């Protein structure tokens, strides 16, 4: 049985230095508030999360964070906010992490490393980074009184981890400190510094918010998703049925039966796009029962699919589609097909290939036509 961990996130500050008109924890960063980012990173390690909200914002916080999170009213200082949250920690938690909503991007991995160190027997564990600037102590007239050796200095971050009893005892004093380790140190407890991380930066000013945004953007550009889709239709017995394939009209070809224009290439691509973005499939998006889509052209469906994947935060890197069948012969119109499909998707590169199946199966027997498509998408944090 692993020891349970409570996470306290003080978010009761007003964020004066950031200068937004709302509390800092409610400021948006790539589509989510800072407090939502902080909770999302800590949730995987926490049995209990307690957030101290600015007075008057409790309900808004509760709605935003859901019923799993305990929201309490913050105090006049960070120390008081932590103290108020501490009163709500369940006794079953062996360890308590004290974090900051302002360090919204501190990672789950960092929290895990703090907890690992507690489990190894430390009573107080704090993340820190070596400092790059020389730090000087000055007196009230700004004269230097001391220059500590830089290599021995660390810039301290959160989440800071403590054995529950150690933290509760330390907070029983009335001191006001900028971090909780300060209280614990004063009581003679050994405080261990482990390596922090750049992304745990404290968001204080607008330029910090921009730096934080860059972390999310560079992460999201790595979030690529692949999808797959297929479709098949039988050639129609009705010789007047026209053939649409790959966004093109094919004169002198008999079309396929189907609810829409029967463009298997376009349909397979739509499915691949939905598959990559986790938005379901062709049927769940353009149900056969919806009259809006009966008779819809392949190009219209592609344009609609594009809109839906973009609305879900994705952009399309490229699409590939292979048409399987004896006819029509794709080769002479390959470039034209590629252009038509690409145009329907707002200019995304679409490669078109074709194959027969050596006389095998319904395509080889000339009874129908099918297509298989793949799509590569990138998720963009907004
Ligand atoms: N905090 C808190 N209660 C307070 C003051 C601060 O819970 N009375 C929290 C903040 O919400 C923040 C963390 O403590 O998550 C660190 O504080 P800081 O970065 O200074 O945030 P603010 O006090 O909101 O910002 P500022 O000092 O610029 O007003
Ligand atoms: Mg402050």
């Amino acid at each position: 049985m692993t020891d349970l961990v409570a996470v306290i996130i003080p978010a009761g500050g007003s964020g004066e230095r950031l200068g937004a008109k709302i509390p800092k924890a409610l400021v948006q960063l790539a589509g989510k508030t800072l407090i939502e980012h902080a909770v999302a990173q800590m949730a995987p390690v926490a049995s209990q999360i307690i957030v101290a909200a600015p007075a008057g914002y409790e309900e808004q916080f509760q709605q935003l964070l859901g019923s799993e999170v305990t929201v309490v009213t913050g105090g006049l200082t960070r120390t008081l906010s932590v103290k108020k949250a501490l009163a709500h920690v369940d006794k079953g938690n062996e360890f308590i992490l004290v974090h900051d909503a302002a360090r919204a991007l501190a990672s789950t991995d960092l929290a895990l490393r703090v907890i690992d160190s507690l489990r190894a027997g430390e009573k107080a564990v704090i993340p820190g980074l070596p400092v790059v600037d020389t730090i000087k102590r000055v007196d009230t007239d700004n004269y230097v009184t001391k220059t500590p050796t830089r290599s021995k200095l660390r810039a301290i971050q959160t989440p800071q981890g403590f054995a529950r009893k150690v933290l509760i005892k330390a907070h029983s004093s009335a001191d006001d400190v900028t971090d909780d380790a300060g209280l614990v140190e004063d009581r003679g407890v050994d405080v261990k510094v482990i390596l922090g991380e750049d992304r745990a930066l404290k968001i204080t000013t607008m330029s910090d918010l921009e730096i934080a945004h860059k972390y999310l953007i560079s992460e999201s550009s790595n979030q690529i998703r692949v999808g797959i889709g297929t479709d098949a239709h039988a050639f129609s017995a009705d010789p007047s049925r026209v053939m649409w394939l790959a966004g093109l009209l094919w004169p002198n070809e008999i079309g396929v039966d189907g609810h829409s224009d029967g463009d298997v290439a376009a349909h397979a691509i739509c499915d691949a796009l939905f598959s990559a973005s986790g938005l379901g499939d062709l049927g769940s998006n353009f149900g056969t029962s919806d009259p809006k889509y009966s008779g819809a052209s392949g190009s219209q469906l592609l344009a609609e699919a594009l809109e839906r994947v973009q609305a879900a935060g994705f952009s399309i890197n490229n699409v590939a589609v292979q048409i399987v069948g004896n006819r029509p012969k794709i080769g002479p119109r390959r470039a034209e097909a590629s252009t038509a499909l690409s145009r329907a998707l707002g200019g995304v590169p679409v490669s078109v290939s074709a194959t027969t199946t050596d006389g095998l199966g319904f395509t080889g027997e000339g009874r129908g036509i099918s297509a298989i498509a793949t799509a590569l998408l990138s998720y963009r944090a907004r």
Side-chain angles (χ1 to χ4, degrees):
M1 165 78 186
T2 50
D3 308 294
L4 297 181
V5 179
V7 179
I8 289 175
I9 311 180
S14 58
E16 244 167 74
R17 287 169 289 179
L18 193 62
K21 291 194 172 65
I22 48 172
K24 182 159 74 177
L26 293 178
V27 165
Q28 293 277 332
L29 175 63
K32 270 198 293 193
T33 60
L34 295 186
I35 187 62
E36 285 174 279
H37 280 290
V39 167
Q41 290 295 332
M42 295 300 123
V45 305
S47 72
Q48 190 190 8
I49 296 181
I50 306 162
V51 171
Y57 288 89
E58 299 85 344
E59 260 179 48
Q60 195 176 339
F61 270 60
Q62 193 73 69
Q63 277 211 326
L64 206 54
L65 303 175
S67 56
E68 294 286 292
V69 172
T70 305
V71 175
V72 303
T73 308
L76 283 179
T77 63
R78 180 186 183 278
T79 308
L80 287 174
S81 292
V82 172
K83 200 170 279 199
K84 285 177 136 192
L86 208 48
H88 293 260
V89 170
D90 291 338
K91 297 245 172 341
N93 293 294
E94 191 62 27
F95 304 125
I96 301 175
L97 300 193
V98 186
H99 193 25
D100 267 344
R103 296 188 192 272
L105 299 188
S107 69
T108 309
D109 175 67
L110 180 61
L112 277 172
R113 287 191 289 113
V114 170
I115 294 165
D116 280 349
S117 200
L118 290 169
R119 290 198 171 128
E122 300 291 347
K123 296 283 178 257
V125 181
I126 63 179
L129 289 176
V131 296
V132 285
D133 297 321
T134 296
I135 309 272
K136 291 191 190 285
R137 183 189 280 268
V138 293
D139 63 18
T140 46
D141 296 322
N142 265 337
Y143 287 103
V144 173
T145 56
K146 202 172 179 355
T147 305
T149 311
R150 191 176 62 186
S151 62
K152 294 203 165 166
L153 294 173
R154 299 289 178 271
I156 297 307
Q157 305 177 319
T158 68
Q160 303 188 345
F162 305 93
R164 187 172 61 89
K165 285 182 188 144
V166 168
L167 185 66
I168 287 175
K169 212 171 204 179
H171 263 278
S172 61
S173 78
D175 302 348
D176 188 27
V177 286
T178 55
D179 82 332
D180 300 271
L183 291 174
V184 172
E185 276 157 56
D186 291 348
R187 297 191 158 247
V189 176
D190 287 339
V191 177
K192 172 83 174 180
V193 178
I194 64 161
L195 185 65
E197 56 182 18
D198 290 335
R199 57 174 291 165
L201 82 157
K202 185 170 172 189
I203 299 169
T204 308
T205 61
M206 280 311 282
S207 79
D208 296 331
L209 200 61
E210 278 162 29
I211 295 167
H213 197 250
K214 288 203 180 103
Y215 280 105
L216 291 177
I217 293 299
S218 68
E219 262 171 31
S220 67
S221 65
N222 292 334
Q223 289 188 34
I224 54 171
R225 310 273 169 84
V226 68
I228 187 168
T230 63
D231 192 32
H233 281 290
F235 286 121
S236 180
D238 174 2
S240 69
R241 176 97 172 150
V242 294
M243 165 162 282
W244 283 95
L245 182 63
L248 301 177
L249 181 64
W250 298 73
N252 312 319
E253 294 283 346
I254 297 171
V256 298
D257 288 326
H259 156 70
S260 58
D261 68 353
D263 185 338
V264 289
H267 296 175
I269 293 171
C270 287
D271 250 340
L273 294 173
F274 293 135
S275 151
S277 52
L279 290 177
D281 54 28
L282 196 72
S284 68
N285 279 277
F286 309 133
T288 46
S289 57
D290 190 338
K292 187 174 158 202
Y293 300 115
S294 73
S297 74
S299 302
Q300 282 170 334
L301 294 184
L302 285 170
E304 179 76 29
L306 171 69
E307 211 165 279
R308 292 187 187 200
V309 298
Q310 283 178 338
F314 292 92
S315 63
I316 306 173
N317 292 41
N318 79 305
V319 164
V321 62
Q322 185 176 44
I323 297 162
V324 186
N326 296 345
R327 66 179 178 81
K329 290 283 169 250
I330 303 297
R333 299 187 73 188
R334 184 201 312 277
E336 211 186 326
S338 164
T339 304
L341 293 169
S342 172
R343 190 177 301 130
L345 289 174
V348 168
V350 180
S351 67
V352 177
S353 57
T355 185
T356 57
T357 48
D358 205 16
L360 298 169
F362 73 92
T363 49
E365 289 160 9
R367 292 191 284 124
I369 189 165
S370 72
I372 180 163
T374 56
L376 197 69
L377 272 51
S378 296
Y379 182 71
R380 303 243 170 270
R382 287 155 298 161

